Amino acid sequence: MMQFIRERSKGLLSFLLLGFIALTFALWGINSYFTGPTGNAVAKVGARTITADEFSRFYQQQYRQVQSLYGDAFRPEMVDEAAFKRKVLDAMIADASLRQHLIQQRMVITDAQLAEAINQLPTFQENGEFSPSVYQQWLQARGYSPAAFENELRGSLLTEQVRAGVRNTAFVTPKELEGVVELTEQQRDIAVMGVTLASLTSQVTVTDAALEAFYQQNTALFETPDRVRVNYVRVEREALAEQIQPNETALRELYQREKNRFGTPERRRVRHIQVKDESTAQALAQRLKESPESFATLAREKSEDSGSASKGGDLGWVEPGMLPTTLDQAAYMAEPKEPVGPIKSPDGYHLLWIDSVEAGKQESFEQLRGKLLEEYRNEQLSARWNELIETIETVNFEQPSSLDPVAKLANSPIKTTDWFTRDVGDAPANSPRFREASFSEEVFKDGLNSALIQLDEDSMVVVRLEDHQPSRVPPLKEIHAQVREAYLKAEAIKLADQKIQQAEQALSEGSSPAEAAAEIKGNYREIGWIDRQGGKNLPVEVTTKAFALAPPEDGQLSYERVILPNDDRLLILVREVKDGDARAVDQATLDKMRKRVSEVRGDQVLALYLEALKKTVKVTTYPDRL
């Protein structure tokens, strides 16, 4: 396999990235396709069981991808956790259905495709070329054998190949592309007229009786929501990390335990001759005994391994474990420049020749001390964090009437929030999870501790109700200014709607837009031609409505009202529509459009294909275990 990899250093699979492989392992794990406990299953897809642990790993990976996408702008409340979990599980079910279908169809990835994929992964390269040592180190660091890794990668490549194949069945005809250009490059000649609420409030008469009636009819507008203050204990991973102080003995033990990861094994430059027949192998061995220097020549003439024969049998640099066991042992027992063999293997008989030997290298403890310290802390932190969380959960369940035991275990003080509601609050109540727990039945009604709430990847909290202010409707005199403002706005909205209706009536009777605007004492502005991107300082609501209107008939206007976020009222008028022209679009843009439409259609086809496959297997889900 390693020689196969070297021979195919470039090709169609160069698009593959290690992130795709990492995603697959997070999803399935090595050698777990038809194995695994069923007691903690979140779904069963035919013969495949998706465990809670597998789901959790994949969910966290997808969650981190969302975090990285938004960077510093990310906030936990941006993710609807329940909906996100359903999407992740659905993706896992689709993948499991596809894999089982491909197994049933006996579809495979060839050795050539597999070798090419591994060769092209940047993570396995050194100075732009595939590095066997880097490959081995990567596998060892993650506890994978080459065979298990390659087997799992075959499955990943196969599913991706099929997905890509299904997507590529979608295509766009020239006529369809013309239609897309007509719509996407369309322009519209528009104008706007309208009234602002600010210009109308001065026309509203306010009386005590009117305010009283408005207050009584709209008490829900002035009801203050339930507010709470809660006590909480924050459990932070970082605080735990500060307590980990490894001694020299612990670091040296880690170094000895992981020593193989911190060195480069001995490498040997190996040539081989492979033949099927034992008598032929024996004859070649005799010739080599008489003329060892002819090994490369004989390999070119006699070897049945087409990949290496043309190179004089050269397999390149080999490290322990890269060759089948019998060949590996023989290669590392052989003396350089002396032929070895024949050696029997499943694919025939081999003769070996060691061109040269490169001694292994081992980094010293002193060189690695910093790295060992970091690894030790991370290892200990993970173990202690899991242990602490488990202990806190147990104690919190057994003693739900006080935060003191939790605070003692977490070595963290009990803090109190400011007032907050179900919908808004200052940190830490700016977290939807925090607020949801604070208003849960166990906390809000029963007065008990909440369960542990995860605020982010590195911190959790337990909350307990401190104080509660019930919802109420304050008396009018207490909120007189607020009621007056709401009344003015409500009356101004009525006037604005009346004026817009009046303008629509004027337009329907033949008035020009300018005349209709003057009649309602409103604003009128001719915008001119715009495209779908808007521009010209137009609110997005105006552009969206302008392109949603039906094209006007000859000599007529197409118009419709729109309400802006500040409640101002506008009439959007479309005077003329000009479709995009494919002949006026450069070829590069057309190609991008064709590709974009094809990709959208391809994704739709793939979604339908995967949905159909899911119906061919029995799928059972356990949502309560997510």
Side-chain angles (χ1 to χ4, degrees):
M1 176 58 68
M2 303 309 299
Q3 178 61 25
F4 214 19
I5 290 171
R6 289 191 189 86
E7 292 177 60
R8 292 155 176 82
S9 59
K10 301 191 181 296
L12 296 177
L13 296 179
S14 58
F15 66 89
L16 201 69
L17 299 177
L18 189 63
F20 175 71
I21 300 172
L23 180 149
T24 303
F25 285 136
L27 179 55
W28 302 119
I30 292 292
N31 294 332
S32 66
Y33 192 72
F34 291 111
T35 62
T38 59
N40 68 338
V42 296
K44 293 181 181 178
V45 187
R48 174 74 171 100
T49 296
I50 302 175
T51 69
D53 289 341
E54 289 168 342
F55 174 81
S56 178
R57 286 196 300 271
F58 189 47
Y59 175 84
Q60 290 300 325
Q61 183 186 55
Q62 299 306 301
Y63 189 88
R64 285 193 293 271
Q65 287 184 1
V66 174
Q67 285 180 307
S68 64
L69 179 65
Y70 287 95
D72 294 338
F74 177 79
R75 298 291 182 272
E77 55 267 27
M78 295 168 65
V79 176
D80 183 334
E81 189 172 1
F84 194 45
K85 284 184 175 181
R86 288 194 297 271
K87 288 183 179 180
V88 169
L89 181 60
D90 191 60
M92 296 176 76
I93 291 171
D95 196 84
S97 302
L98 176 57
R99 287 196 174 206
Q100 291 181 73
H101 172 71
L102 298 180
I103 289 172
Q104 292 168 359
Q105 297 301 312
R106 297 183 179 179
M107 297 178 69
V108 298
I109 288 292
T110 67
D111 287 347
Q113 292 171 311
L114 177 64
E116 191 172 15
I118 295 175
N119 200 305
Q120 292 302 305
L121 291 171
T123 299
F124 300 151
Q125 294 182 351
E126 195 169 47
N127 300 322
E129 295 185 355
F130 175 78
S131 169
S133 60
V134 172
Y135 179 55
Q136 287 295 321
Q137 288 171 9
W138 188 90
L139 295 179
Q140 291 172 5
R142 290 155 182 81
Y144 302 148
S145 70
F149 172 79
E150 291 167 7
N151 181 59
E152 186 63 25
L153 180 55
R154 283 182 194 272
S156 300
L157 290 172
L158 184 57
T159 56
E160 183 57 25
Q161 187 180 83
V162 172
R163 287 172 184 269
V166 173
R167 287 192 188 99
N168 290 337
T169 61
F171 62 91
V172 183
T173 67
K175 190 66 176 176
E176 289 173 328
L177 185 60
E178 286 181 14
V180 170
V181 173
E182 288 178 358
L183 287 175
T184 58
E185 299 297 307
Q186 188 182 89
Q187 294 183 326
R188 296 194 169 202
D189 181 18
I190 71 167
V192 296
M193 75 165 70
V195 290
T196 64
L197 297 191
S199 67
L200 298 176
T201 53
S202 60
Q203 302 177 30
V204 178
T205 300
V206 182
T207 65
D208 290 342
L211 287 183
E212 176 67 33
F214 181 77
Y215 170 77
Q216 294 297 339
Q217 293 167 8
N218 297 278
T219 53
L221 289 176
F222 310 110
E223 183 178 10
T224 61
D226 284 296
R227 298 201 308 168
V228 296
R229 289 192 306 148
V230 299
N231 298 323
Y232 67 96
V233 175
R234 191 165 192 142
V235 188
E236 295 185 286
R237 186 189 292 262
E238 188 59 35
L240 194 61
E242 295 172 359
Q243 303 173 20
I244 300 174
Q245 297 297 330
N247 56 41
E248 197 75 2
T249 301
L251 291 181
R252 289 189 178 277
E253 288 177 353
L254 176 60
Y255 175 73
Q256 291 300 323
R257 189 167 68 246
E258 302 291 333
K259 199 170 183 178
N260 288 340
R261 284 202 294 119
F262 304 126
T264 302
E266 178 187 298
R267 299 199 306 169
R268 296 192 161 209
R269 189 77 184 229
V270 180
R271 294 180 185 271
H272 87 139
I273 299 173
Q274 176 185 329
V275 294
K276 292 278 176 55
D277 182 61
E278 183 179 7
S279 60
T280 303
Q282 292 291 355
L284 288 172
Q286 183 60 39
R287 290 181 63 180
L288 288 171
K289 184 181 294 185
E290 298 168 357
S291 179
E293 69 281 356
S294 65
F295 193 99
T297 301
L298 284 176
R300 290 188 185 93
E301 295 174 355
K302 305 295 184 181
S303 181
E304 297 174 19
D305 177 12
S306 58
S308 65
S310 62
K311 301 176 183 179
D314 186 19
L315 294 178
W317 288 102
V318 170
E319 295 178 4
M322 289 186 178
L323 299 175
T325 304
T326 54
L327 297 181
D328 189 70
Q329 292 173 349
Y332 273 85
M333 292 177 63
E335 293 293 331
K337 310 297 184 182
E338 292 184 7
V340 177
I343 304 155
K344 187 177 180 181
S345 77
D347 54 359
Y349 294 85
H350 299 258
L351 295 107
L352 302 181
W353 174 272
I354 310 301
D355 270 343
S356 56
V357 175
E358 188 178 276
K361 298 176 183 178
Q362 181 69 48
E363 291 184 81
S364 68
F365 172 79
E366 287 69 24
Q367 290 174 310
L368 294 167
R369 196 178 192 288
K371 185 176 182 179
L372 291 167
L373 180 60
E374 181 182 359
E375 288 193 10
Y376 179 87
R377 282 179 170 162
N378 289 338
E379 181 183 287
Q380 291 295 308
L381 177 58
S382 179
R384 293 193 191 186
W385 175 256
N386 292 335
E387 182 181 347
L388 175 62
I389 295 305
E390 185 176 341
T391 303
I392 288 177
E393 285 178 334
T394 301
V395 170
N396 192 42
F397 177 79
E398 294 173 347
Q399 303 179 54
S401 299
S402 173
L403 286 176
D404 290 334
V406 175
K408 185 176 181 181
L409 284 170
N411 193 27
S412 180
I414 298 175
K415 297 181 179 180
T416 305
T417 67
D418 201 349
W419 291 102
F420 63 92
T421 68
R422 295 178 188 269
D423 300 317
V424 65
D426 295 328
N430 60 343
S431 163
R433 295 179 182 178
F434 189 99
R435 296 195 303 272
E436 182 182 355
S438 300
F439 282 93
S440 65
E441 184 171 346
E442 60 185 351
V443 175
F444 187 64
K445 293 184 178 180
D446 300 338
L448 302 175
N449 294 351
S450 73
L452 265 172
I453 311 154
Q454 184 162 2
L455 293 183
D456 53 51
E457 193 172 356
D458 296 317
S459 65
M460 305 183 79
V461 293
V462 178
V463 304
R464 182 179 181 81
L465 185 66
E466 165 67 15
D467 203 355
H468 169 219
Q469 287 183 349
S471 62
R472 72 186 186 102
V473 179
L476 176 58
K477 62 180 180 179
E478 187 177 316
I479 54 171
H480 186 276
Q482 180 183 347
V483 174
R484 187 177 188 278
E485 182 179 353
Y487 175 75
L488 284 172
K489 183 174 182 179
E491 292 301 304
I493 286 174
K494 290 179 183 178
L495 288 174
D497 286 337
Q498 291 171 6
K499 288 182 176 293
I500 292 297
Q501 186 176 4
Q502 183 181 344
E504 290 174 328
Q505 181 66 30
L507 289 172
S508 69
E509 293 174 354
S511 295
S512 70
E515 291 171 339
E519 186 175 328
I520 65 172
K521 295 182 180 180
N523 303 312
Y524 176 68
R525 176 186 169 197
E526 292 188 358
I527 306 299
W529 290 99
I530 65 169
D531 57 25
R532 292 183 182 275
Q533 282 66 52
K536 300 186 178 182
N537 296 319
L538 291 176
V540 66
E541 293 82 6
V542 171
T543 303
T544 301
K545 181 64 72 175
F547 279 89
L549 282 169
E553 298 180 2
D554 292 340
Q556 302 295 316
L557 288 173
S558 199
Y559 55 85
E560 191 169 336
R561 68 179 64 185
V562 64
I563 301 174
L564 298 182
N566 64 356
D567 285 316
D568 288 345
R569 265 58 174 169
L570 294 179
L571 266 183
I572 311 300
L573 301 96
V574 177
R575 298 182 292 192
E576 189 178 350
V577 173
K578 184 166 55 180
D579 287 337
D581 185 352
R583 294 169 298 180
V585 179
D586 64 86
Q587 190 60 47
T589 302
L590 284 176
D591 290 342
K592 288 180 181 178
M593 285 186 176
R594 182 184 289 105
K595 182 180 179 183
R596 188 160 58 243
V597 175
S598 180
E599 287 174 347
V600 170
R601 289 188 176 178
D603 287 338
Q604 292 170 342
V605 172
L606 177 61
L608 291 172
Y609 173 69
L610 293 176
E611 196 62 34
L613 280 185
K614 285 194 291 185
K615 294 177 181 178
T616 65
V617 295
K618 181 179 180 181
V619 177
T620 305
T621 60
Y622 306 92
D624 57 312
R625 300 176 185 175
L626 295 180

